[in-house]
Amino acid sequence: MAFSSIARELNRNHVIQSINDFGIYTKQDISRKTSLSFPTTGKIVDALVQEGMIQPLRQKRGDTGGRKASEYQLNKEYAYSLCMLIELDHMKAVITNLAFEEKHTAKKTVQGALTAEHIQSFVQELIDSCPEIRSIAIGVPGAVHNGKIFLIDGFKQLQDYALEDLLRDKFHIPTVVLNNMNALISGFRGKIHATGTGENIACIHIGEKGPGCSFLVNGAPVSGFCGFQGEIGFNLFDQTQTFREIALNKYQNVSLEAYIGRLMIQIITMINPHQIMIYMSDDSMKTDIYDYCLHYLPHEVLPQITYLDSYEKDYIFGLMNVGLKQILHDITA
């Protein structure tokens, strides 16, 4: 009996995964994609229609005659994900459906130190206004291990705070709290999977509190054992100061060309990426670092270097990827 139950769940999950591209399929199409028998596929599809997860379409597929096959599509409005960015003086939220379409955005400014209570209150507001929310993905500019923020500059009230546990226990919704750059790189990972390539890519963000970095190696994100990967601000710039200390000192008496160039050289010698994407908090900080790197490295190893102005957009897209993964995991668990 237990084996039969497990088999039914696996078959159900297989059907859901086979149509999560929001394509339009008949039961026969799904049967072919999953290699399940037509009767088994039909029962699962009918049950998922009853649950509202799959929607039958009005149009019928044309054929040469006889009864026309009904068509089905994953219901993109079945569940929503709440994606939230935490910044020094505000929180920004984006609610998205399963197709990554934004349904609602909101921003809340915080006076004084931002606390976990501010975040919880904002999440409560959004869930009250949109009960279809089925996952929460929150990005923070700090190091996170198992949902606990163990290193974060400028957020004294969030230091050593198990934010993920707090929100999951409060709202009983799958919740992930992760570093901003780890969230961002997950968006690049989705794009790379879509093109079928397995490149090495590094993303750097030069922010007010220092630089952060994330990597894809062979198309997969690099994961450290405690969430500290990419904290390149702790690397030495010279014999007297780190990159983080220079940023906290407002980059005084330091050439931006040397600052970014030395970061680049360290990354190139570590993972030799195909591409390095650089996000700047201030456009005036952009500088040509290709020639700087050539002073120290052979030209054959230099990657494609791109300055991007889409930090927040890519950050949110990465959180959407994480949120959708949580929803699908919850649905198919």
Side-chain angles (χ1 to χ4, degrees):
M1 188 70 176
F3 177 80
S4 177
S5 176
I6 291 171
R8 283 197 298 271
E9 284 302 308
L10 289 174
N11 290 341
R12 179 179 182 274
N13 297 349
H14 203 179
V15 168
I16 294 170
Q17 293 294 336
S18 74
I19 62 171
N20 67 8
D21 60 353
F22 298 97
I24 296 172
Y25 300 99
T26 65
K27 290 179 179 177
Q28 189 67 48
D29 294 332
I30 298 170
S31 176
R32 282 194 293 264
K33 286 193 73 175
T34 60
S35 298
L36 297 173
S37 70
F38 184 79
T40 296
T41 300
K43 289 179 182 178
I44 294 171
V45 169
D46 290 343
L48 292 173
V49 168
Q50 288 296 315
E51 293 177 32
M53 193 180 306
I54 290 179
Q55 57 184 356
L57 303 180
R58 290 181 179 178
Q59 63 267 35
K60 306 289 185 178
R61 177 172 297 185
D63 52 22
T64 56
R67 186 176 180 181
K68 296 180 179 179
S70 297
E71 294 179 323
Y72 302 88
Q73 187 177 43
L74 188 67
N75 180 9
K76 62 185 179 182
E77 308 299 335
Y78 175 73
Y80 291 170
S81 178
L82 168 58
C83 308
M84 188 180 295
L85 288 68
I86 305 300
E87 302 294 349
L88 275 175
D89 60 351
H90 71 274
M91 299 171 285
K92 180 172 183 178
V94 177
I95 297 174
T96 178
N97 66 12
L98 296 182
F100 290 169
E101 296 170 346
E102 292 187 10
K103 309 302 293 185
H104 178 68
T105 61
K107 182 177 179 179
K108 174 157 287 190
T109 301
V110 176
Q111 302 296 329
L114 190 146
T115 67
E117 287 69 29
H118 288 125
I119 298 172
Q120 179 180 312
S121 175
F122 193 29
V123 171
Q124 182 71 69
E125 260 181 61
L126 294 163
I127 290 177
D128 288 345
S129 67
C130 184
E132 298 88 355
I133 291 172
R134 292 278 296 275
S135 75
I136 301 170
I138 296 182
V140 299
V144 183
H145 181 47
N146 292 335
K148 180 179 180 180
I149 304 167
F150 68 88
L151 176 70
I152 186 166
D153 287 321
F155 296 82
K156 186 176 180 180
Q157 301 298 320
L158 296 182
Q159 179 72 40
D160 295 321
Y161 204 100
L163 182 61
E164 189 172 288
D165 289 345
L166 169 74
L167 298 176
R168 187 189 297 112
D169 294 345
K170 170 67 177 177
F171 300 108
H172 306 290
I173 292 174
T175 302
V176 175
V177 176
L178 69 167
N179 168 266
N180 58 333
M181 294 305 295
N182 289 341
L184 188 147
I185 202 69
S186 71
F188 276 92
R189 184 189 188 192
K191 294 174 185 176
I192 286 174
H193 283 334
T195 60
T197 60
E199 294 186 347
N200 292 355
I201 292 178
C203 294
I204 306 172
H205 179 235
I206 310 295
E208 295 177 1
K209 299 295 182 181
C213 188
S214 53
F215 309 104
L216 290 180
V217 176
N218 297 326
V222 175
S223 299
F225 79 92
C226 69
F228 197 66
Q229 75 281 2
E231 295 292 342
I232 53 177
F234 286 87
N235 292 357
L236 286 172
F237 173 81
D238 57 25
Q239 294 180 334
T240 63
Q241 53 191 339
T242 65
F243 289 96
R244 176 172 172 263
E245 288 168 340
I246 291 171
L248 293 174
N249 201 31
K250 309 299 183 185
Y251 302 96
Q252 293 182 22
N253 304 317
V254 172
S255 159
L256 285 174
E257 182 182 61
Y259 186 89
I260 300 173
R262 292 185 188 186
L263 281 174
M264 291 269 298
I265 290 168
Q266 293 186 20
I267 291 169
I268 291 169
T269 55
M270 281 192 293
I271 67 167
N272 192 202
H274 298 81
Q275 301 179 65
I276 293 184
M277 316 291 190
I278 305 176
Y279 297 89
M280 313 292 289
S281 59
D282 185 344
D283 284 347
S284 66
M285 298 174 69
K286 292 180 180 178
T287 182
D288 186 359
I289 54 173
Y290 193 86
D291 288 340
Y292 181 91
C293 292
L294 276 178
H295 284 297
Y296 302 95
L297 300 173
H299 70 87
E300 290 87 353
V301 307
L302 293 188
Q304 176 184 336
I305 302 168
T306 306
Y307 282 95
L308 297 175
D309 298 317
S310 54
Y311 169 72
E312 185 172 285
K313 177 182 177 182
D314 293 342
Y315 187 179
I316 291 172
F317 183 74
L319 288 172
M320 288 179 181
N321 269 280
V322 173
L324 176 61
K325 183 178 179 182
Q326 289 297 304
I327 290 175
L328 291 176
H329 181 270
D330 188 47
I331 289 172
T332 58

